Short mmCIF file of all heavy atoms in Angstrom, two decimals:
data_model
loop_
_atom_site.label_atom_id
_atom_site.label_comp_id
_atom_site.label_asym_id
_atom_site.label_seq_id
_atom_site.Cartn_x
_atom_site.Cartn_y
_atom_site.Cartn_z
N LYS A 1 26.82 21.45 27.45
CA LYS A 1 28.10 21.44 28.19
C LYS A 1 29.19 20.79 27.26
O LYS A 1 28.95 19.71 26.75
CB LYS A 1 28.04 20.54 29.42
CG LYS A 1 29.28 20.56 30.39
CD LYS A 1 29.04 19.80 31.67
CE LYS A 1 30.28 19.77 32.47
NZ LYS A 1 30.05 19.02 33.66
N VAL A 2 30.21 21.53 26.99
CA VAL A 2 31.14 21.22 25.78
C VAL A 2 32.53 20.99 26.36
O VAL A 2 33.10 21.83 27.15
CB VAL A 2 31.10 22.31 24.81
CG1 VAL A 2 31.95 21.88 23.59
CG2 VAL A 2 29.75 22.71 24.37
N GLU A 3 33.04 19.92 25.99
CA GLU A 3 34.50 19.55 26.24
C GLU A 3 35.33 20.04 25.02
O GLU A 3 35.14 19.42 23.94
CB GLU A 3 34.72 18.11 26.51
CG GLU A 3 36.07 17.83 26.99
CD GLU A 3 36.22 16.31 27.42
OE1 GLU A 3 36.04 16.01 28.59
OE2 GLU A 3 36.68 15.46 26.53
N VAL A 4 36.17 20.93 25.17
CA VAL A 4 36.96 21.50 24.04
C VAL A 4 38.47 21.09 24.27
O VAL A 4 39.04 21.30 25.23
CB VAL A 4 36.89 23.08 24.08
CG1 VAL A 4 37.48 23.56 22.66
CG2 VAL A 4 35.41 23.49 24.05
N THR A 5 38.98 20.46 23.19
CA THR A 5 40.42 19.98 23.25
C THR A 5 41.25 20.52 22.12
O THR A 5 40.79 20.52 20.98
CB THR A 5 40.43 18.44 23.28
OG1 THR A 5 39.59 17.94 24.26
CG2 THR A 5 41.77 17.96 23.36
N MET A 6 42.45 20.99 22.44
CA MET A 6 43.40 21.39 21.44
C MET A 6 44.42 20.30 21.36
O MET A 6 45.05 19.91 22.39
CB MET A 6 44.05 22.74 21.73
CG MET A 6 45.10 23.13 20.75
SD MET A 6 45.86 24.72 21.03
CE MET A 6 44.52 25.81 20.49
N ASP A 7 44.62 19.64 20.15
CA ASP A 7 45.63 18.66 19.92
C ASP A 7 47.02 19.11 20.07
O ASP A 7 47.40 20.32 19.78
CB ASP A 7 45.41 18.06 18.59
CG ASP A 7 44.28 17.13 18.51
OD1 ASP A 7 43.46 17.08 19.46
OD2 ASP A 7 44.15 16.37 17.36
N ARG A 8 47.86 18.35 20.68
CA ARG A 8 49.26 18.67 20.76
C ARG A 8 49.93 18.62 19.52
O ARG A 8 49.51 17.80 18.67
CB ARG A 8 49.96 17.84 21.89
CG ARG A 8 49.27 17.80 23.26
CD ARG A 8 50.04 16.90 24.26
NE ARG A 8 49.33 16.99 25.58
CZ ARG A 8 49.70 17.91 26.53
NH1 ARG A 8 50.63 18.90 26.25
NH2 ARG A 8 49.07 17.91 27.69
N ALA A 9 51.14 19.43 19.33
CA ALA A 9 51.86 19.31 18.02
C ALA A 9 53.28 19.57 18.46
O ALA A 9 53.55 20.15 19.48
CB ALA A 9 51.30 20.31 17.06
N ASP A 10 54.23 19.16 17.54
CA ASP A 10 55.68 19.40 17.89
C ASP A 10 56.07 20.82 17.87
O ASP A 10 57.01 21.19 18.58
CB ASP A 10 56.53 18.71 16.80
CG ASP A 10 56.35 17.17 16.90
OD1 ASP A 10 55.93 16.64 17.99
OD2 ASP A 10 56.62 16.44 15.92
N TRP A 11 55.35 21.72 17.14
CA TRP A 11 55.87 23.12 17.03
C TRP A 11 55.41 24.06 18.16
O TRP A 11 55.84 25.22 18.18
CB TRP A 11 55.33 23.72 15.64
CG TRP A 11 53.88 23.77 15.42
CD1 TRP A 11 53.14 22.82 14.91
CD2 TRP A 11 53.16 24.82 15.84
NE1 TRP A 11 51.79 23.25 14.93
CE2 TRP A 11 51.81 24.45 15.47
CE3 TRP A 11 53.25 26.16 16.45
CZ2 TRP A 11 50.62 25.39 15.67
CZ3 TRP A 11 52.23 26.96 16.56
CH2 TRP A 11 50.93 26.66 16.20
N PHE A 12 54.63 23.58 19.05
CA PHE A 12 54.13 24.44 20.15
C PHE A 12 54.12 23.61 21.44
O PHE A 12 53.88 22.38 21.42
CB PHE A 12 52.88 25.32 19.95
CG PHE A 12 51.65 24.40 19.95
CD1 PHE A 12 50.91 24.29 21.11
CD2 PHE A 12 51.14 23.89 18.74
CE1 PHE A 12 49.81 23.52 21.10
CE2 PHE A 12 50.01 23.02 18.73
CZ PHE A 12 49.31 22.95 19.92
N ALA A 13 54.07 24.38 22.56
CA ALA A 13 53.86 23.63 23.83
C ALA A 13 52.95 24.54 24.64
O ALA A 13 52.97 25.76 24.54
CB ALA A 13 55.20 23.49 24.61
N PHE A 14 52.09 23.85 25.49
CA PHE A 14 51.11 24.66 26.29
C PHE A 14 51.93 25.39 27.54
O PHE A 14 52.84 24.87 28.08
CB PHE A 14 50.07 23.68 26.88
CG PHE A 14 49.20 23.12 25.73
CD1 PHE A 14 49.25 21.94 25.39
CD2 PHE A 14 48.14 23.93 25.28
CE1 PHE A 14 48.40 21.37 24.35
CE2 PHE A 14 47.23 23.49 24.26
CZ PHE A 14 47.42 22.15 23.80
N ILE A 15 51.38 26.48 27.83
CA ILE A 15 52.09 27.31 28.84
C ILE A 15 52.01 26.65 30.24
O ILE A 15 52.84 26.61 30.93
CB ILE A 15 51.51 28.77 28.88
CG1 ILE A 15 51.78 29.40 27.46
CG2 ILE A 15 52.15 29.59 30.00
CD1 ILE A 15 51.21 30.80 27.37
N GLU A 16 50.71 26.19 30.43
CA GLU A 16 50.47 25.43 31.77
C GLU A 16 50.27 24.06 31.51
O GLU A 16 49.75 23.64 30.46
CB GLU A 16 49.26 26.12 32.41
CG GLU A 16 49.42 27.63 32.67
CD GLU A 16 48.18 28.04 33.36
OE1 GLU A 16 47.21 27.33 33.55
OE2 GLU A 16 48.13 29.40 33.64
N PRO A 17 50.60 23.13 32.48
CA PRO A 17 50.38 21.67 32.29
C PRO A 17 48.96 21.41 32.20
O PRO A 17 48.02 22.10 32.87
CB PRO A 17 50.89 21.09 33.52
CG PRO A 17 51.93 22.12 34.05
CD PRO A 17 51.42 23.44 33.64
N ASN A 18 48.55 20.44 31.47
CA ASN A 18 47.18 20.05 31.25
C ASN A 18 46.15 21.14 30.80
O ASN A 18 45.05 21.17 31.14
CB ASN A 18 46.62 19.41 32.58
CG ASN A 18 47.46 18.29 33.17
OD1 ASN A 18 47.90 17.49 32.44
ND2 ASN A 18 47.61 18.21 34.40
N GLN A 19 46.80 21.98 29.94
CA GLN A 19 45.97 23.09 29.50
C GLN A 19 45.38 22.80 28.02
O GLN A 19 44.86 23.60 27.39
CB GLN A 19 46.91 24.40 29.26
CG GLN A 19 46.05 25.58 29.21
CD GLN A 19 46.96 26.86 29.21
OE1 GLN A 19 48.14 26.77 29.06
NE2 GLN A 19 46.39 28.02 29.45
N SER A 20 45.49 21.52 27.66
CA SER A 20 45.02 21.12 26.34
C SER A 20 43.54 20.92 26.43
O SER A 20 42.99 20.71 25.22
CB SER A 20 45.71 19.95 25.83
OG SER A 20 45.52 18.72 26.71
N ARG A 21 42.89 21.01 27.52
CA ARG A 21 41.41 20.62 27.63
C ARG A 21 40.68 21.64 28.43
O ARG A 21 41.24 22.14 29.50
CB ARG A 21 41.21 19.28 28.14
CG ARG A 21 39.80 18.74 28.23
CD ARG A 21 39.67 17.30 28.55
NE ARG A 21 40.39 16.50 27.48
CZ ARG A 21 40.46 15.16 27.56
NH1 ARG A 21 40.01 14.50 28.58
NH2 ARG A 21 41.14 14.50 26.59
N ARG A 22 39.58 22.16 27.92
CA ARG A 22 38.73 23.03 28.60
C ARG A 22 37.22 22.61 28.60
O ARG A 22 36.88 21.89 27.61
CB ARG A 22 38.89 24.40 27.94
CG ARG A 22 40.23 25.05 28.13
CD ARG A 22 40.29 25.62 29.50
NE ARG A 22 41.57 26.40 29.76
CZ ARG A 22 42.68 25.93 30.27
NH1 ARG A 22 42.73 24.60 30.67
NH2 ARG A 22 43.73 26.64 30.56
N THR A 23 36.48 22.92 29.54
CA THR A 23 35.03 22.70 29.62
C THR A 23 34.36 24.03 29.71
O THR A 23 34.54 24.79 30.61
CB THR A 23 34.74 21.75 30.74
OG1 THR A 23 35.42 20.47 30.59
CG2 THR A 23 33.20 21.46 30.75
N VAL A 24 33.34 24.17 28.85
CA VAL A 24 32.54 25.46 28.82
C VAL A 24 31.02 25.01 28.71
O VAL A 24 30.72 24.00 28.15
CB VAL A 24 32.89 26.42 27.69
CG1 VAL A 24 34.38 26.89 27.89
CG2 VAL A 24 32.83 25.65 26.39
#
C-alpha cells in the first residue's frame, strides 16, 4: 500500500484541491 506525493512548485498548480497525494 503506497502513498504517492507530488511536491508543490511555483511553476504549476494542481487542478483540484488536495490533489498532491494519492494512495495506491
Side-chain angles (χ1 to χ4, degrees):
K1 186 177 181 180
V2 187
E3 186 177 274
V4 189
T5 305
M6 177 178 286
D7 285 10
R8 299 180 183 273
D10 293 338
W11 62 269
F12 73 88
F14 292 103
I15 297 175
E16 299 177 3
N18 303 320
Q19 200 175 15
S20 62
R21 183 171 298 177
R22 292 283 186 263
T23 300
V24 295

